[in-house]
Amino acid sequence: MSLPLIQLTPSGPSQARRAVLAKRVQLLVAATITYNVIEAVVAITAGTLASSTALIGFGLDSIIEVSSAAAVAWQFAGRDPEAREKRALRIIAISFFALAAYVTVESVRALVGGAEAEHSSVGLVLAAVSLAVMPGLSYAQRRAGRELGSRTAVADSKQTLLCTYLSAVLLVGLAVNSLFGWSWADPIAALVIAAVAVKEGREAWKGDSCCAPNAALHTVSADAAPAKACTDGCCGPAEAGGPR
């Protein structure tokens, strides 16, 4: 005797909800790009004046963050964002790798060369402001991206979160260098950030940043196990479900 069939309802957000989430991601990306352009100009200028490799590197990271956010903006500007997702993910992954390569090279140069940066009040303020702003942007975009099932939005939110870590590293490095003259503290911490960047870049390249929504209707037997919408633990049941 055949088992009864159960028709499941769509587990992904509705079309109206997806439109709202896509618009929210676009606004968050625009805010990220605007802030990072300002951050890059200030950091590179202050770093040049203070001969600070850390500050200049932080400014270049902001430029990389702009390229990552621009990739997401390009994806959602199309009529079919999902068709552009893979290419956008590759752009984000490459930006992670570029950031890791730059931070590694500059950290090694700072350790070997023993270059000493001057005190920078502007750099300290910039790092503190970024440390306060970036976590909120990252969380908001990651939450919207997970509900929408957008791997690129989640990957870019991780790029923004990485910028938060770099802000903390920069703040500690500049403060320690100003207070104690420990010039080795910043490049050592930056090497750890570079390792994290490589990990996130690999995940973005493979498309493991977030699960896609399970929007299709499924027909399963009554004793079959429920389908798992997420395989990498990036979103919980509430995020994988419908609109709240």
Side-chain angles (χ1 to χ4, degrees):
M1 181 178 178
S2 61
L3 295 174
L5 299 180
I6 299 177
Q7 189 79 11
L8 299 183
T9 57
S11 60
S14 65
Q15 283 297 111
R17 178 62 176 171
R18 289 179 64 83
V20 171
L21 292 171
K23 184 64 175 180
R24 184 179 301 172
V25 169
Q26 288 179 304
L27 292 175
L28 290 169
V29 166
T32 300
I33 291 176
T34 302
Y35 181 84
N36 275 279
V37 168
I38 298 173
E39 185 180 69
V41 172
V42 174
I44 293 176
T45 301
T48 301
L49 294 175
S51 300
S52 172
T53 301
L55 262 175
I56 294 174
F58 185 73
L60 293 177
D61 164 69
S62 299
I63 295 176
I64 294 175
E65 167 65 13
V66 169
S67 70
S68 175
V72 180
W74 168 79
Q75 180 197 353
F76 281 91
R79 292 187 176 182
D80 185 10
E82 293 182 5
R84 293 183 171 186
E85 184 175 70
K86 184 175 182 180
R87 190 179 303 175
L89 273 173
R90 293 295 170 87
I91 295 174
I92 293 173
I94 291 173
S95 71
F96 271 119
F97 295 144
L99 172 60
Y102 177 82
V103 170
T104 299
V105 171
E106 291 303 315
S107 297
V108 172
R109 285 180 59 184
L111 288 171
V112 174
E116 295 185 3
E118 300 176 7
H119 169 76
S120 176
S121 299
V122 174
L124 287 169
V125 172
L126 177 65
V129 172
S130 296
L131 191 59
V133 171
M134 288 300 178
L137 282 175
S138 176
Y139 173 78
Q141 187 174 346
R142 184 167 63 254
R143 181 175 180 179
R146 283 177 172 175
E147 185 179 350
L148 184 61
S150 171
R151 293 178 172 86
T152 48
V154 175
D156 185 59
S157 75
K158 290 185 177 182
Q159 176 73 282
T160 303
L161 187 61
L162 185 62
C163 187
T164 302
Y165 299 152
L166 284 175
S167 300
V169 168
L170 178 65
L171 182 61
V172 172
L174 292 177
V176 168
N177 184 42
S178 297
L179 294 173
F180 308 107
W182 295 350
S183 58
W184 50 264
D186 180 52
I188 290 295
L191 287 174
V192 177
I193 298 299
V196 175
V198 171
K199 175 180 178 296
E200 299 296 349
R202 290 179 60 187
E203 289 184 359
W205 187 272
K206 293 186 298 182
D208 292 341
S209 298
C210 182
C211 55
N214 185 15
L217 292 174
H218 299 281
T219 303
V220 295
S221 62
D223 60 344
K228 294 177 66 179
C230 303
T231 59
D232 60 356
C234 71
C235 54
E239 292 172 323
R244 290 180 295 276

